[in-house]
Amino acid sequence: MVTRRHFFSGAGFAVAAAATAKAALAALPDIVTSTSADMHAPLSPPNGRPYRPVATLNGWTLPWRMRHGVKEFHLVAEPVVRELAPGMKANLWGYNGQSPGPTIEVVEGDRVRIYVTNRLPESTSIHWHGQRLPSGMDGVAGLNQPAIKAGQTYVYEFVAQRAGTFMYHPHANETTQMAMGMMGFWVTHPRDPATMAVDRDYVFLMNAYDIAPGAYTPNVSTMLDFNLWTFNSRAYPGIAPMVARLGERVRIRLGNLTMTNHPVHLHGHEFVVAGTDGGWIPPAARWPEVTLDLGVGQMRAIEFTAAAPGDWSFHCHKSHHTMNAMGHGVPNTIGVETRDLADQIAALVPNYMSMSDDMRDMPMQMPLPENTLPMMAGNGPYGNIGMGGMFTIVKIRENLAHDDYADPGWYAAPPGSVAYLWEGEAPPPHRDGG
Ligand SMILES: [Cu+2]
């Protein structure tokens, strides 16, 4: 969970201080890195055209420098250690200290220059997914440019022509590099901040890893059978809640860089799809949904009014995507008296535990290898939340400050508004005819 102290400390930023050749390096923007997987406060633009910044779930926005009217960013592709959730860290590849890399925010019409330094042990490139740009800036190694070799820096420059939702990722050895976490979000804000304005604008990427229980490094030869399903390289309960004040208009922008589709589902509210990969949908053409199936390589922006106070689930509806690493090829034990069986096996195998139906109630007691998340791990106000992976909570409260993104804790439901236990006997079933 993000605490207020962590959230507002601004800690986790570091600017690399070059002891030597500082004058020569002044030609390049500073390298800003983050050491924290917490959600940072949205970055209000210190210069350039005004806009309402986005909030990156368990992430941050890359600061830039303005040089002769050009917004200059410096991305560094490098090995990182990412905390996927408390209790588990992964050796990933990312940008500027984290995976995903920092969000890049610019305004429609901005001229943008991005320095990309490769500190990986192999060649890479960077593709600006969805952008209108010169072919030579599109970042497919071998097609649009030579690969960026280890140690090299390449410079990309183009005008952000279209407002909308974008991603960046390598187009060089990309199966490996995306399986290792190399990706980031990009938002181009409308030239007029009143266009498509909302009160809160959350962004994150959906990604997946295959990390064997007890291991730290993803298996990069996995094609489909991933075992950790994440929002911005975080698994529940490590994913920050999305907080909103009652009545606010909320946007959530998602990009899918996993190898399968994700039907994401919001509880208690309807939303509309307000934007696709190709731009904004005119308001009259939007239709209401409660589940959006996000295909591979796609981006969507959904919007809703935070109409009801409470704690509302927001998750992928593939139920195995709301679980953390589990064994595959497990026999079906539904209807099997697993307790009797478990006792017999336990006599042969110490510490054996079966997939019994009360397992959710005891994940904290299960012996797990080091650096392994329980399959279903969250603790809620009423007991265990049988969720991991691609799951988080939209927390809607009255009287929140409009710039308050900190976790407000659990919802205190008004008396009489919570499902309650029936104390009496249930009647026998009444069967018709037959
Ligand atoms: Cu999913």
PDB file of all heavy atoms in Angstrom, residues 149-182:
ATOM      1  N   LYS A 149      23.187  -0.376 -30.063  1.00  0.00           N
ATOM      2  CA  LYS A 149      24.072  -1.360 -29.407  1.00  0.00           C
ATOM      3  C   LYS A 149      24.287  -0.985 -27.950  1.00  0.00           C
ATOM      4  O   LYS A 149      24.105   0.172 -27.552  1.00  0.00           O
ATOM      5  CB  LYS A 149      25.413  -1.408 -30.135  1.00  0.00           C
ATOM      6  CG  LYS A 149      25.333  -1.958 -31.550  1.00  0.00           C
ATOM      7  CD  LYS A 149      26.740  -2.306 -32.061  1.00  0.00           C
ATOM      8  CE  LYS A 149      26.667  -2.946 -33.442  1.00  0.00           C
ATOM      9  NZ  LYS A 149      26.352  -1.957 -34.489  1.00  0.00           N
ATOM     10  N   ALA A 150      24.685  -1.973 -27.151  1.00  0.00           N
ATOM     11  CA  ALA A 150      24.977  -1.726 -25.736  1.00  0.00           C
ATOM     12  C   ALA A 150      25.968  -0.576 -25.627  1.00  0.00           C
ATOM     13  O   ALA A 150      26.981  -0.552 -26.326  1.00  0.00           O
ATOM     14  CB  ALA A 150      25.546  -2.993 -25.105  1.00  0.00           C
ATOM     15  N   GLY A 151      25.640   0.390 -24.789  1.00  0.00           N
ATOM     16  CA  GLY A 151      26.522   1.533 -24.571  1.00  0.00           C
ATOM     17  C   GLY A 151      26.213   2.733 -25.455  1.00  0.00           C
ATOM     18  O   GLY A 151      26.665   3.842 -25.167  1.00  0.00           O
ATOM     19  N   GLN A 152      25.434   2.544 -26.526  1.00  0.00           N
ATOM     20  CA  GLN A 152      25.149   3.656 -27.436  1.00  0.00           C
ATOM     21  C   GLN A 152      23.937   4.477 -26.972  1.00  0.00           C
ATOM     22  O   GLN A 152      23.079   3.975 -26.240  1.00  0.00           O
ATOM     23  CB  GLN A 152      24.859   3.124 -28.844  1.00  0.00           C
ATOM     24  CG  GLN A 152      26.062   2.529 -29.544  1.00  0.00           C
ATOM     25  CD  GLN A 152      25.730   2.049 -30.957  1.00  0.00           C
ATOM     26  OE1 GLN A 152      24.600   1.643 -31.249  1.00  0.00           O
ATOM     27  NE2 GLN A 152      26.725   2.086 -31.833  1.00  0.00           N
ATOM     28  N   THR A 153      23.883   5.721 -27.437  1.00  0.00           N
ATOM     29  CA  THR A 153      22.708   6.570 -27.240  1.00  0.00           C
ATOM     30  C   THR A 153      22.181   6.989 -28.608  1.00  0.00           C
ATOM     31  O   THR A 153      22.966   7.438 -29.461  1.00  0.00           O
ATOM     32  CB  THR A 153      23.076   7.831 -26.423  1.00  0.00           C
ATOM     33  OG1 THR A 153      23.511   7.433 -25.123  1.00  0.00           O
ATOM     34  CG2 THR A 153      21.888   8.775 -26.293  1.00  0.00           C
ATOM     35  N   TYR A 154      20.893   6.811 -28.833  1.00  0.00           N
ATOM     36  CA  TYR A 154      20.247   7.287 -30.053  1.00  0.00           C
ATOM     37  C   TYR A 154      19.302   8.428 -29.691  1.00  0.00           C
ATOM     38  O   TYR A 154      18.797   8.507 -28.559  1.00  0.00           O
ATOM     39  CB  TYR A 154      19.468   6.160 -30.750  1.00  0.00           C
ATOM     40  CG  TYR A 154      20.284   5.435 -31.802  1.00  0.00           C
ATOM     41  CD1 TYR A 154      21.414   4.698 -31.451  1.00  0.00           C
ATOM     42  CD2 TYR A 154      19.928   5.512 -33.152  1.00  0.00           C
ATOM     43  CE1 TYR A 154      22.165   4.043 -32.416  1.00  0.00           C
ATOM     44  CE2 TYR A 154      20.676   4.854 -34.123  1.00  0.00           C
ATOM     45  CZ  TYR A 154      21.798   4.125 -33.757  1.00  0.00           C
ATOM     46  OH  TYR A 154      22.536   3.479 -34.716  1.00  0.00           O
ATOM     47  N   VAL A 155      19.053   9.290 -30.674  1.00  0.00           N
ATOM     48  CA  VAL A 155      18.188  10.446 -30.455  1.00  0.00           C
ATOM     49  C   VAL A 155      16.995  10.341 -31.397  1.00  0.00           C
ATOM     50  O   VAL A 155      17.155  10.120 -32.595  1.00  0.00           O
ATOM     51  CB  VAL A 155      18.949  11.765 -30.717  1.00  0.00           C
ATOM     52  CG1 VAL A 155      18.078  12.956 -30.320  1.00  0.00           C
ATOM     53  CG2 VAL A 155      20.273  11.780 -29.949  1.00  0.00           C
ATOM     54  N   TYR A 156      15.804  10.473 -30.822  1.00  0.00           N
ATOM     55  CA  TYR A 156      14.558  10.459 -31.596  1.00  0.00           C
ATOM     56  C   TYR A 156      13.940  11.853 -31.504  1.00  0.00           C
ATOM     57  O   TYR A 156      13.975  12.479 -30.439  1.00  0.00           O
ATOM     58  CB  TYR A 156      13.570   9.436 -31.028  1.00  0.00           C
ATOM     59  CG  TYR A 156      14.045   7.999 -31.107  1.00  0.00           C
ATOM     60  CD1 TYR A 156      14.886   7.459 -30.132  1.00  0.00           C
ATOM     61  CD2 TYR A 156      13.639   7.181 -32.159  1.00  0.00           C
ATOM     62  CE1 TYR A 156      15.310   6.140 -30.207  1.00  0.00           C
ATOM     63  CE2 TYR A 156      14.059   5.851 -32.233  1.00  0.00           C
ATOM     64  CZ  TYR A 156      14.894   5.337 -31.257  1.00  0.00           C
ATOM     65  OH  TYR A 156      15.313   4.035 -31.323  1.00  0.00           O
ATOM     66  N   GLU A 157      13.374  12.321 -32.600  1.00  0.00           N
ATOM     67  CA  GLU A 157      12.780  13.657 -32.562  1.00  0.00           C
ATOM     68  C   GLU A 157      11.579  13.709 -33.504  1.00  0.00           C
ATOM     69  O   GLU A 157      11.668  13.284 -34.647  1.00  0.00           O
ATOM     70  CB  GLU A 157      13.832  14.696 -32.981  1.00  0.00           C
ATOM     71  CG  GLU A 157      13.300  16.117 -32.885  1.00  0.00           C
ATOM     72  CD  GLU A 157      14.399  17.177 -32.989  1.00  0.00           C
ATOM     73  OE1 GLU A 157      15.596  16.846 -32.728  1.00  0.00           O
ATOM     74  OE2 GLU A 157      14.069  18.320 -33.339  1.00  0.00           O
ATOM     75  N   PHE A 158      10.459  14.169 -32.972  1.00  0.00           N
ATOM     76  CA  PHE A 158       9.262  14.342 -33.807  1.00  0.00           C
ATOM     77  C   PHE A 158       8.289  15.273 -33.097  1.00  0.00           C
ATOM     78  O   PHE A 158       8.475  15.591 -31.917  1.00  0.00           O
ATOM     79  CB  PHE A 158       8.599  12.990 -34.130  1.00  0.00           C
ATOM     80  CG  PHE A 158       8.258  12.135 -32.937  1.00  0.00           C
ATOM     81  CD1 PHE A 158       7.006  12.236 -32.331  1.00  0.00           C
ATOM     82  CD2 PHE A 158       9.166  11.207 -32.418  1.00  0.00           C
ATOM     83  CE1 PHE A 158       6.670  11.430 -31.235  1.00  0.00           C
ATOM     84  CE2 PHE A 158       8.841  10.403 -31.336  1.00  0.00           C
ATOM     85  CZ  PHE A 158       7.596  10.524 -30.742  1.00  0.00           C
ATOM     86  N   VAL A 159       7.284  15.703 -33.842  1.00  0.00           N
ATOM     87  CA  VAL A 159       6.232  16.539 -33.264  1.00  0.00           C
ATOM     88  C   VAL A 159       5.090  15.626 -32.839  1.00  0.00           C
ATOM     89  O   VAL A 159       4.664  14.757 -33.612  1.00  0.00           O
ATOM     90  CB  VAL A 159       5.739  17.585 -34.290  1.00  0.00           C
ATOM     91  CG1 VAL A 159       4.523  18.342 -33.760  1.00  0.00           C
ATOM     92  CG2 VAL A 159       6.873  18.553 -34.636  1.00  0.00           C
ATOM     93  N   ALA A 160       4.613  15.800 -31.599  1.00  0.00           N
ATOM     94  CA  ALA A 160       3.464  15.017 -31.120  1.00  0.00           C
ATOM     95  C   ALA A 160       2.223  15.562 -31.820  1.00  0.00           C
ATOM     96  O   ALA A 160       1.685  16.591 -31.429  1.00  0.00           O
ATOM     97  CB  ALA A 160       3.348  15.122 -29.608  1.00  0.00           C
ATOM     98  N   GLN A 161       1.804  14.877 -32.884  1.00  0.00           N
ATOM     99  CA  GLN A 161       0.790  15.459 -33.779  1.00  0.00           C
ATOM    100  C   GLN A 161      -0.637  15.222 -33.305  1.00  0.00           C
ATOM    101  O   GLN A 161      -1.531  15.973 -33.661  1.00  0.00           O
ATOM    102  CB  GLN A 161       0.936  14.858 -35.181  1.00  0.00           C
ATOM    103  CG  GLN A 161       2.254  15.220 -35.856  1.00  0.00           C
ATOM    104  CD  GLN A 161       2.328  14.629 -37.248  1.00  0.00           C
ATOM    105  OE1 GLN A 161       1.373  14.660 -38.015  1.00  0.00           O
ATOM    106  NE2 GLN A 161       3.476  14.059 -37.578  1.00  0.00           N
ATOM    107  N   ARG A 162      -0.847  14.152 -32.554  1.00  0.00           N
ATOM    108  CA  ARG A 162      -2.223  13.752 -32.226  1.00  0.00           C
ATOM    109  C   ARG A 162      -2.347  13.553 -30.727  1.00  0.00           C
ATOM    110  O   ARG A 162      -1.526  12.869 -30.121  1.00  0.00           O
ATOM    111  CB  ARG A 162      -2.528  12.440 -32.958  1.00  0.00           C
ATOM    112  CG  ARG A 162      -3.864  11.842 -32.650  1.00  0.00           C
ATOM    113  CD  ARG A 162      -4.231  10.745 -33.631  1.00  0.00           C
ATOM    114  NE  ARG A 162      -3.506   9.488 -33.439  1.00  0.00           N
ATOM    115  CZ  ARG A 162      -3.731   8.638 -32.438  1.00  0.00           C
ATOM    116  NH1 ARG A 162      -4.638   8.914 -31.527  1.00  0.00           N
ATOM    117  NH2 ARG A 162      -3.040   7.520 -32.336  1.00  0.00           N
ATOM    118  N   ALA A 163      -3.378  14.181 -30.123  1.00  0.00           N
ATOM    119  CA  ALA A 163      -3.633  13.958 -28.699  1.00  0.00           C
ATOM    120  C   ALA A 163      -4.138  12.537 -28.500  1.00  0.00           C
ATOM    121  O   ALA A 163      -4.896  12.024 -29.330  1.00  0.00           O
ATOM    122  CB  ALA A 163      -4.669  14.962 -28.190  1.00  0.00           C
ATOM    123  N   GLY A 164      -3.735  11.905 -27.413  1.00  0.00           N
ATOM    124  CA  GLY A 164      -4.237  10.562 -27.159  1.00  0.00           C
ATOM    125  C   GLY A 164      -3.328   9.755 -26.263  1.00  0.00           C
ATOM    126  O   GLY A 164      -2.496  10.281 -25.535  1.00  0.00           O
ATOM    127  N   THR A 165      -3.525   8.435 -26.357  1.00  0.00           N
ATOM    128  CA  THR A 165      -2.925   7.460 -25.444  1.00  0.00           C
ATOM    129  C   THR A 165      -1.983   6.571 -26.236  1.00  0.00           C
ATOM    130  O   THR A 165      -2.398   5.982 -27.241  1.00  0.00           O
ATOM    131  CB  THR A 165      -4.055   6.627 -24.812  1.00  0.00           C
ATOM    132  OG1 THR A 165      -4.967   7.516 -24.161  1.00  0.00           O
ATOM    133  CG2 THR A 165      -3.523   5.628 -23.811  1.00  0.00           C
ATOM    134  N   PHE A 166      -0.740   6.484 -25.805  1.00  0.00           N
ATOM    135  CA  PHE A 166       0.296   5.773 -26.555  1.00  0.00           C
ATOM    136  C   PHE A 166       1.156   4.930 -25.608  1.00  0.00           C
ATOM    137  O   PHE A 166       1.039   5.030 -24.387  1.00  0.00           O
ATOM    138  CB  PHE A 166       1.193   6.772 -27.300  1.00  0.00           C
ATOM    139  CG  PHE A 166       0.436   7.732 -28.182  1.00  0.00           C
ATOM    140  CD1 PHE A 166      -0.010   8.958 -27.688  1.00  0.00           C
ATOM    141  CD2 PHE A 166       0.140   7.405 -29.498  1.00  0.00           C
ATOM    142  CE1 PHE A 166      -0.729   9.838 -28.493  1.00  0.00           C
ATOM    143  CE2 PHE A 166      -0.568   8.278 -30.316  1.00  0.00           C
ATOM    144  CZ  PHE A 166      -1.009   9.500 -29.805  1.00  0.00           C
ATOM    145  N   MET A 167       2.038   4.100 -26.218  1.00  0.00           N
ATOM    146  CA  MET A 167       2.976   3.299 -25.429  1.00  0.00           C
ATOM    147  C   MET A 167       4.338   3.413 -26.099  1.00  0.00           C
ATOM    148  O   MET A 167       4.449   3.826 -27.246  1.00  0.00           O
ATOM    149  CB  MET A 167       2.558   1.825 -25.415  1.00  0.00           C
ATOM    150  CG  MET A 167       1.112   1.584 -25.020  1.00  0.00           C
ATOM    151  SD  MET A 167       0.676  -0.173 -24.818  1.00  0.00           S
ATOM    152  CE  MET A 167       0.379  -0.676 -26.522  1.00  0.00           C
ATOM    153  N   TYR A 168       5.373   3.005 -25.373  1.00  0.00           N
ATOM    154  CA  TYR A 168       6.674   2.782 -26.010  1.00  0.00           C
ATOM    155  C   TYR A 168       7.203   1.414 -25.582  1.00  0.00           C
ATOM    156  O   TYR A 168       6.929   0.961 -24.474  1.00  0.00           O
ATOM    157  CB  TYR A 168       7.665   3.922 -25.719  1.00  0.00           C
ATOM    158  CG  TYR A 168       8.052   4.160 -24.273  1.00  0.00           C
ATOM    159  CD1 TYR A 168       9.099   3.454 -23.680  1.00  0.00           C
ATOM    160  CD2 TYR A 168       7.396   5.126 -23.502  1.00  0.00           C
ATOM    161  CE1 TYR A 168       9.481   3.692 -22.364  1.00  0.00           C
ATOM    162  CE2 TYR A 168       7.768   5.379 -22.185  1.00  0.00           C
ATOM    163  CZ  TYR A 168       8.816   4.661 -21.621  1.00  0.00           C
ATOM    164  OH  TYR A 168       9.187   4.901 -20.323  1.00  0.00           O
ATOM    165  N   HIS A 169       7.915   0.770 -26.489  1.00  0.00           N
ATOM    166  CA  HIS A 169       8.508  -0.542 -26.198  1.00  0.00           C
ATOM    167  C   HIS A 169       9.555  -0.842 -27.260  1.00  0.00           C
ATOM    168  O   HIS A 169       9.569  -0.210 -28.311  1.00  0.00           O
ATOM    169  CB  HIS A 169       7.419  -1.633 -26.150  1.00  0.00           C
ATOM    170  CG  HIS A 169       6.687  -1.847 -27.434  1.00  0.00           C
ATOM    171  ND1 HIS A 169       7.200  -2.566 -28.482  1.00  0.00           N
ATOM    172  CD2 HIS A 169       5.462  -1.417 -27.848  1.00  0.00           C
ATOM    173  CE1 HIS A 169       6.322  -2.584 -29.477  1.00  0.00           C
ATOM    174  NE2 HIS A 169       5.267  -1.896 -29.129  1.00  0.00           N
ATOM    175  N   PRO A 170      10.445  -1.811 -27.017  1.00  0.00           N
ATOM    176  CA  PRO A 170      11.482  -2.122 -28.002  1.00  0.00           C
ATOM    177  C   PRO A 170      10.900  -2.810 -29.237  1.00  0.00           C
ATOM    178  O   PRO A 170       9.859  -3.463 -29.165  1.00  0.00           O
ATOM    179  CB  PRO A 170      12.416  -3.096 -27.262  1.00  0.00           C
ATOM    180  CG  PRO A 170      12.010  -3.042 -25.830  1.00  0.00           C
ATOM    181  CD  PRO A 170      10.589  -2.637 -25.802  1.00  0.00           C
ATOM    182  N   HIS A 171      11.555  -2.634 -30.369  1.00  0.00           N
ATOM    183  CA  HIS A 171      11.292  -3.462 -31.550  1.00  0.00           C
ATOM    184  C   HIS A 171      12.611  -4.091 -31.967  1.00  0.00           C
ATOM    185  O   HIS A 171      13.068  -3.966 -33.094  1.00  0.00           O
ATOM    186  CB  HIS A 171      10.676  -2.642 -32.685  1.00  0.00           C
ATOM    187  CG  HIS A 171       9.300  -3.096 -33.042  1.00  0.00           C
ATOM    188  ND1 HIS A 171       9.039  -4.349 -33.544  1.00  0.00           N
ATOM    189  CD2 HIS A 171       8.100  -2.473 -32.966  1.00  0.00           C
ATOM    190  CE1 HIS A 171       7.733  -4.469 -33.753  1.00  0.00           C
ATOM    191  NE2 HIS A 171       7.134  -3.356 -33.409  1.00  0.00           N
ATOM    192  N   ALA A 172      13.273  -4.761 -30.976  1.00  0.00           N
ATOM    193  CA  ALA A 172      14.533  -5.475 -31.204  1.00  0.00           C
ATOM    194  C   ALA A 172      14.529  -6.584 -30.169  1.00  0.00           C
ATOM    195  O   ALA A 172      14.360  -6.314 -28.991  1.00  0.00           O
ATOM    196  CB  ALA A 172      15.726  -4.546 -30.974  1.00  0.00           C
ATOM    197  N   ASN A 173      14.645  -7.825 -30.617  1.00  0.00           N
ATOM    198  CA  ASN A 173      14.561  -8.974 -29.705  1.00  0.00           C
ATOM    199  C   ASN A 173      13.379  -8.785 -28.753  1.00  0.00           C
ATOM    200  O   ASN A 173      13.495  -8.939 -27.545  1.00  0.00           O
ATOM    201  CB  ASN A 173      15.865  -9.145 -28.922  1.00  0.00           C
ATOM    202  CG  ASN A 173      15.946 -10.524 -28.258  1.00  0.00           C
ATOM    203  OD1 ASN A 173      15.206 -11.447 -28.613  1.00  0.00           O
ATOM    204  ND2 ASN A 173      16.821 -10.656 -27.278  1.00  0.00           N
ATOM    205  N   GLU A 174      12.222  -8.446 -29.330  1.00  0.00           N
ATOM    206  CA  GLU A 174      11.147  -7.935 -28.481  1.00  0.00           C
ATOM    207  C   GLU A 174      10.447  -8.988 -27.641  1.00  0.00           C
ATOM    208  O   GLU A 174       9.929  -8.663 -26.578  1.00  0.00           O
ATOM    209  CB  GLU A 174      10.139  -7.159 -29.323  1.00  0.00           C
ATOM    210  CG  GLU A 174       9.500  -7.986 -30.424  1.00  0.00           C
ATOM    211  CD  GLU A 174       9.299  -7.139 -31.670  1.00  0.00           C
ATOM    212  OE1 GLU A 174      10.285  -6.575 -32.170  1.00  0.00           O
ATOM    213  OE2 GLU A 174       8.160  -7.036 -32.127  1.00  0.00           O
ATOM    214  N   THR A 175      10.434 -10.243 -28.075  1.00  0.00           N
ATOM    215  CA  THR A 175       9.817 -11.270 -27.225  1.00  0.00           C
ATOM    216  C   THR A 175      10.539 -11.323 -25.888  1.00  0.00           C
ATOM    217  O   THR A 175       9.922 -11.322 -24.818  1.00  0.00           O
ATOM    218  CB  THR A 175       9.875 -12.655 -27.899  1.00  0.00           C
ATOM    219  OG1 THR A 175       9.334 -12.535 -29.200  1.00  0.00           O
ATOM    220  CG2 THR A 175       9.081 -13.676 -27.117  1.00  0.00           C
ATOM    221  N   THR A 176      11.861 -11.338 -25.944  1.00  0.00           N
ATOM    222  CA  THR A 176      12.653 -11.348 -24.717  1.00  0.00           C
ATOM    223  C   THR A 176      12.507 -10.024 -23.967  1.00  0.00           C
ATOM    224  O   THR A 176      12.251 -10.003 -22.754  1.00  0.00           O
ATOM    225  CB  THR A 176      14.142 -11.583 -25.056  1.00  0.00           C
ATOM    226  OG1 THR A 176      14.278 -12.902 -25.561  1.00  0.00           O
ATOM    227  CG2 THR A 176      15.020 -11.404 -23.827  1.00  0.00           C
ATOM    228  N   GLN A 177      12.634  -8.929 -24.688  1.00  0.00           N
ATOM    229  CA  GLN A 177      12.732  -7.646 -23.985  1.00  0.00           C
ATOM    230  C   GLN A 177      11.403  -7.242 -23.355  1.00  0.00           C
ATOM    231  O   GLN A 177      11.377  -6.641 -22.278  1.00  0.00           O
ATOM    232  CB  GLN A 177      13.291  -6.567 -24.930  1.00  0.00           C
ATOM    233  CG  GLN A 177      14.740  -6.915 -25.316  1.00  0.00           C
ATOM    234  CD  GLN A 177      15.502  -5.802 -26.015  1.00  0.00           C
ATOM    235  OE1 GLN A 177      15.014  -4.701 -26.195  1.00  0.00           O
ATOM    236  NE2 GLN A 177      16.734  -6.112 -26.409  1.00  0.00           N
ATOM    237  N   MET A 178      10.276  -7.606 -23.989  1.00  0.00           N
ATOM    238  CA  MET A 178       8.990  -7.307 -23.344  1.00  0.00           C
ATOM    239  C   MET A 178       8.683  -8.309 -22.238  1.00  0.00           C
ATOM    240  O   MET A 178       8.084  -7.948 -21.229  1.00  0.00           O
ATOM    241  CB  MET A 178       7.880  -7.207 -24.367  1.00  0.00           C
ATOM    242  CG  MET A 178       7.970  -5.890 -25.132  1.00  0.00           C
ATOM    243  SD  MET A 178       6.445  -5.397 -25.911  1.00  0.00           S
ATOM    244  CE  MET A 178       6.608  -6.200 -27.470  1.00  0.00           C
ATOM    245  N   ALA A 179       9.143  -9.559 -22.393  1.00  0.00           N
ATOM    246  CA  ALA A 179       8.977 -10.538 -21.304  1.00  0.00           C
ATOM    247  C   ALA A 179       9.792 -10.129 -20.086  1.00  0.00           C
ATOM    248  O   ALA A 179       9.520 -10.575 -18.973  1.00  0.00           O
ATOM    249  CB  ALA A 179       9.400 -11.933 -21.774  1.00  0.00           C
ATOM    250  N   MET A 180      10.795  -9.272 -20.298  1.00  0.00           N
ATOM    251  CA  MET A 180      11.613  -8.768 -19.196  1.00  0.00           C
ATOM    252  C   MET A 180      11.086  -7.436 -18.661  1.00  0.00           C
ATOM    253  O   MET A 180      11.672  -6.867 -17.736  1.00  0.00           O
ATOM    254  CB  MET A 180      13.062  -8.594 -19.655  1.00  0.00           C
ATOM    255  CG  MET A 180      13.812  -9.903 -19.858  1.00  0.00           C
ATOM    256  SD  MET A 180      14.060 -10.811 -18.306  1.00  0.00           S
ATOM    257  CE  MET A 180      15.331  -9.825 -17.516  1.00  0.00           C
ATOM    258  N   GLY A 181      10.024  -6.892 -19.270  1.00  0.00           N
ATOM    259  CA  GLY A 181       9.381  -5.704 -18.691  1.00  0.00           C
ATOM    260  C   GLY A 181       9.694  -4.389 -19.360  1.00  0.00           C
ATOM    261  O   GLY A 181       9.446  -3.328 -18.785  1.00  0.00           O
ATOM    262  N   MET A 182      10.231  -4.416 -20.590  1.00  0.00           N
ATOM    263  CA  MET A 182      10.602  -3.142 -21.234  1.00  0.00           C
ATOM    264  C   MET A 182       9.394  -2.528 -21.933  1.00  0.00           C
ATOM    265  O   MET A 182       8.986  -2.969 -23.013  1.00  0.00           O
ATOM    266  CB  MET A 182      11.732  -3.372 -22.220  1.00  0.00           C
ATOM    267  CG  MET A 182      12.993  -3.833 -21.511  1.00  0.00           C
ATOM    268  SD  MET A 182      14.417  -3.767 -22.563  1.00  0.00           S
ATOM    269  CE  MET A 182      14.618  -2.003 -22.727  1.00  0.00           C
TER     270      MET A 182
END
